[in-house]
Amino acid sequence: MSSGVRGELEAAVLAAVRELGVKEPPDLELGRARNPNHGDYATPVAMKLARELRRPPPKIASDLAERLNLPPEVASIELAGPYLNFRLAEGWLQKLVGRVAADPDYGRSRMGGGERVQVEFASINPTGPIHIGHGRGVILGDALSRLLDFTGHQVQREYYVNDQNTQARRFGASVYARLHGLEPPEGGYTGEYVAELAEQARRDLPGIEELPEEEAELRLRGYAIDRMVDLIAATVSRLNVHYDEWFRESRLWDDGLPQKAIARLRETGQLQEREGATWFAPDVPGWEEDDEDRVVIRSNGEPTYFASDLGYLLSKFEERGFQRVIDVWGSDHHGYIPRMKSAMAALGLDPAALVVILNQMVNLKEGKMSKRQGRFVLLDELVDMVGADAVRFFYLVRSPDTMMEFDLDLAVSQSNENPVYYAQYAYARLANVDTFAAGREMPAQPELSLLREPWELALARQIAYWPEAVEEAARLLEPHRIPYFVHDLADSVHAFYQAGNRDAGYRVVVDDPELMRARLELCRAGRNTLRAALDLMGVSAPDRM
RNA sequence: GCCCGCUUAGCUCAAUGGAUAGAGCGCAUGGCUUCGGACCAUGAGGUUAGGGGUUCGAAUCCCUUAGCGGGCACCA
């Protein structure tokens, strides 16, 4: 049940449905009406009840309407065949404007009940700078975090730093090779930044060149990864993304968590020794069909990344007590989900507490992105070219499960018509009106019933939808819904403003102080809503542009 | 071969199983002597990839075909 107007309507309809003798009411599908002629909200529930009640839907609709107990100051009911339509009362909308104008935090919800949620996102191997393919996960994860925070969850943003896996070792070895003018190792890193790292290391780590290879590699690995983490943090910070925790894989082993997880699996008979290696063999329903056994400890005694991940689950759910963890992964990792879910169950954790959100890959128009072939665009370069707000919006509007083809030339040439400026301009206009009106004589308290023009009420309606738009997006974990709301709201703002260009009598700043005061209140309500929404997208709300 | 995701207007993308599938860009037409034109209004543009099915009702759920992307390691 959602809060706000919609929640009230749902509750009222539900009560009426029960009064008709329906024990298990179906989903009301009560939502905003598409066509304005149908009012503001509508439900087709009468059609769903036709079979059970053995009556024609229009009859059921009118029966429901008779029993519906709605405060008239909120909405009126209209019958349209099998549909029940609701229209928000103007008086209620006008009062709402006053409430929102006074509430800079309008739309914040307690829906989450303080649930402790971790969002782990964009945990890219810190062996190089991040490119535009990674940007998608960065923005998606951050937007999810903002959304959950706004809806009453305790959110922690985390980046998992792989500092001791195969890639990390190769990275360290590559820097070592570069430092000594040797050929990079098999599968090593060759970019120019590796050479720069080697030079920096020569300066920052005195005596590094004299150390024996093994020790030097270890130290160079740690050093290089620190530098890369700094670099990645700096890049995402330009996009208004700030992690609470950069959690290192090595810390898991220091704390003995993978060891603990392995011991637990061994005790419960969920590991097998075979071919010299230790395999994951969980006693979990569905495992046999869905996946094969996987190696936890290699035959050479080295643990796999999966061993770390087992410990990581304990860290998240037991050591740190998160009630839910949302992992944002690239879709190339989707095959890993069944194994992680099984690992949760095998460790005695609730698999449903681990939520994985996949985002599809980003491809360059010229073809697949490839570091090796030098075919990639750095996220930093993109921010340089089009700016942080446009970049965020660019990623945010797309649902994560459609693949993106990235055309850099197009992105740059279209950056000036990015819809984000449409919304920011609406905000700046509202701010400007307030400035313009400053110092004029007007009453302290607005008489909101003066807000009667269609475009004024349309703006108020759009403002009224904000809380449910937020909750919907949070419930579905779909931040891409927010920019669409923002666009609609900006639309209403511009239409409201434009009315004053057609006819000076419709401006905000008019001779009638009562009218001006009421319209200013609407501007402030619009501003608060717009700012909250832009905030949720991590996009700035400028007073001037 | 098996598994996952995607296919909606010329292009980029939306749309809790509900009424006439919507935006932006592009295209056409119209609108400022005074609150910022990065704006507004109107219009053209659709077999929701193809074919079956479920349902009172399908872009949405099921089956199937095709295309695109990804995965199927003692890599992560």
Side-chain angles (χ1 to χ4, degrees):
Chain A
M1 186 75 57
S2 46
S3 59
V5 209
R6 183 170 158 185
E8 279 190 52
L9 293 175
E10 280 177 341
V13 174
L14 213 52
V17 168
R18 287 187 203 280
E19 262 192 64
L20 288 183
V22 178
K23 295 241 163 47
E24 291 175 23
D27 183 357
L28 301 181
E29 290 184 44
L30 188 145
R32 286 175 54 182
R34 278 215 182 115
N35 186 332
N37 295 330
H38 299 148
D40 297 309
Y41 293 87
T43 174
V45 71
M47 273 185 275
K48 298 189 162 195
L49 298 174
R51 183 165 296 165
E52 178 174 353
L53 296 177
R54 297 169 173 280
R55 266 176 281 169
K59 175 75 170 84
I60 297 173
S62 67
D63 289 348
L64 283 171
E66 279 172 29
R67 287 165 178 75
L68 218 42
N69 189 11
L70 274 180
E73 60 268 34
V74 172
S76 57
I77 309 162
E78 290 158 26
L79 287 170
Y83 288 93
L84 273 176
N85 294 337
F86 303 93
R87 198 172 293 274
L88 295 175
E90 291 188 5
W92 182 83
L93 283 168
Q94 289 157 348
K95 279 183 198 143
L96 177 75
V97 167
R99 287 209 307 272
V100 177
D103 182 7
D105 220 18
Y106 173 55
R108 184 174 285 280
S109 148
R110 295 184 186 179
M111 177 176 119
E115 184 189 14
R116 297 197 61 210
V117 182
Q118 180 192 71
V119 183
E120 186 214 321
F121 58 101
S123 301
I124 307 127
N125 275 329
T127 54
I130 55 179
H131 57 65
I132 55 171
H134 304 132
R136 194 171 191 180
V138 170
I139 300 303
L140 176 60
D142 182 66
L144 274 168
S145 303
R146 287 170 188 267
L147 195 49
L148 291 169
D149 174 80
F150 198 63
T151 50
H153 304 77
Q154 280 187 66
V155 181
Q156 193 235 31
R157 294 166 172 82
E158 180 149 305
Y159 189 115
Y160 181 54
V161 181
N162 289 105
D163 61 350
Q164 62 174 43
N165 62 16
T166 311
Q167 298 304 322
R169 279 197 283 266
R170 279 180 190 158
F171 187 45
S174 302
V175 178
Y176 177 87
R178 200 68 187 231
L179 188 66
H180 291 279
L182 306 170
E183 283 295 305
E186 180 78 22
Y189 294 81
T190 55
E192 193 52 36
Y193 67 99
V194 178
E196 288 170 23
L197 279 170
E199 283 315 305
Q200 287 174 28
R202 202 190 302 279
R203 198 174 58 236
D204 291 349
L205 303 175
I208 187 73
E209 290 156 280
E210 281 72 47
L211 287 177
E213 179 168 351
E214 196 175 333
E215 192 186 340
E217 264 190 32
L218 190 66
R219 291 196 55 192
L220 285 170
R221 189 208 305 172
Y223 175 83
I225 283 176
D226 283 348
R227 294 289 75 73
M228 285 303 114
V229 166
D230 290 347
L231 189 70
I232 292 166
T235 300
V236 301
S237 158
R238 296 180 69 198
L239 285 164
N240 215 357
V241 176
H242 304 279
Y243 284 94
D244 299 302
E245 183 76 48
W246 299 79
F247 194 98
R248 282 164 201 262
E249 182 184 6
S250 54
R251 176 173 151 194
L252 290 173
W253 291 90
D254 294 344
D255 292 350
L257 291 173
Q259 298 90 319
K260 185 174 171 184
I262 288 166
R264 187 182 301 177
L265 293 180
R266 201 181 298 282
E267 284 162 22
T268 51
Q270 300 187 93
L271 290 180
Q272 283 177 8
E273 307 294 333
R274 178 155 36 94
E275 300 157 30
T278 303
W279 300 69
F280 182 54
D283 180 16
V284 167
W287 174 259
E288 297 80 6
E289 302 102 80
D290 291 348
D291 215 329
E292 305 161 28
D293 294 353
R294 299 292 167 168
V295 170
V296 180
I297 301 171
R298 301 184 178 96
S299 49
N300 66 4
E302 291 280 331
T304 64
Y305 62 92
F306 186 47
S308 294
D309 280 340
L310 290 170
Y312 198 22
L313 291 177
L314 292 188
S315 165
K316 292 179 177 199
F317 289 100
E318 292 187 357
E319 298 289 307
R320 292 186 280 163
F322 291 110
Q323 294 165 274
R324 183 159 50 136
V325 170
I326 298 173
D327 281 357
V328 177
W329 295 347
S331 64
D332 52 339
H333 286 68
H334 82 264
Y336 197 44
I337 297 175
R339 217 178 316 165
M340 288 293 273
K341 291 277 189 180
S342 299
M344 289 287 287
L347 290 168
L349 302 166
D350 175 14
L354 177 69
V355 180
V356 179
I357 294 186
L358 298 175
N359 62 267
Q360 292 291 318
M361 304 282 92
V362 179
N363 288 319
L364 282 181
K365 198 183 173 196
E366 298 78 41
K368 189 177 171 170
M369 234 176 305
S370 159
K371 277 191 194 176
R372 201 160 294 174
Q373 297 173 42
R375 212 164 43 194
F376 60 93
V377 179
L378 295 183
L379 194 51
D380 266 320
E381 295 172 336
L382 183 62
V383 178
D384 288 340
M385 285 183 278
V386 307
D389 286 343
V391 169
R392 284 198 67 118
F393 199 92
F394 175 81
Y395 284 114
L396 270 175
V397 281
R398 288 166 173 81
S399 149
D401 48 27
T402 66
M403 54 186 160
M404 257 171 82
E405 189 176 88
F406 191 88
D407 182 336
L408 186 63
D409 294 336
L410 198 65
V412 172
S413 70
Q414 289 191 346
S415 61
N416 283 331
E417 52 212 34
N418 189 307
V420 75
Y421 301 119
Y422 180 78
Q424 291 180 321
Y425 185 50
Y427 184 85
R429 273 182 148 176
L430 293 179
N432 191 58
V433 168
D434 232 327
T435 309
F436 188 84
R440 298 190 183 231
E441 290 287 325
M442 66 184 102
Q445 292 303 317
E447 178 46 55
L448 294 167
S449 62
L450 295 173
L451 297 172
R452 280 191 289 248
E453 304 300 338
W455 45 87
E456 294 167 351
L457 293 168
L459 175 53
R461 278 194 173 81
Q462 198 59 43
I463 289 169
Y465 293 143
W466 172 235
E468 68 193 55
V470 167
E471 292 200 349
E472 176 99 338
R475 190 169 52 78
L476 299 171
L477 299 176
E478 293 182 349
H480 73 270
R481 290 166 181 271
I482 301 297
Y484 287 93
F485 173 87
V486 166
H487 179 269
D488 288 347
L489 179 58
D491 223 6
S492 302
V493 169
H494 285 306
F496 160 72
Y497 188 93
Q498 198 69 30
N501 286 349
R502 273 201 313 280
D503 181 333
Y506 295 135
R507 295 186 181 200
V508 176
V509 181
V510 286
D511 291 336
D512 179 349
E514 291 279 355
L515 199 52
M516 171 165 61
R517 182 66 187 85
R519 287 176 181 166
L520 268 179
E521 194 78 349
L522 180 55
C523 287
R524 288 168 189 165
R527 253 178 107 179
N528 278 343
T529 309
L530 207 40
R531 191 192 314 104
L534 288 170
D535 248 22
L536 217 44
M537 294 196 299
V539 164
S540 62
D543 287 348
R544 300 166 181 280
M545 298 181 65

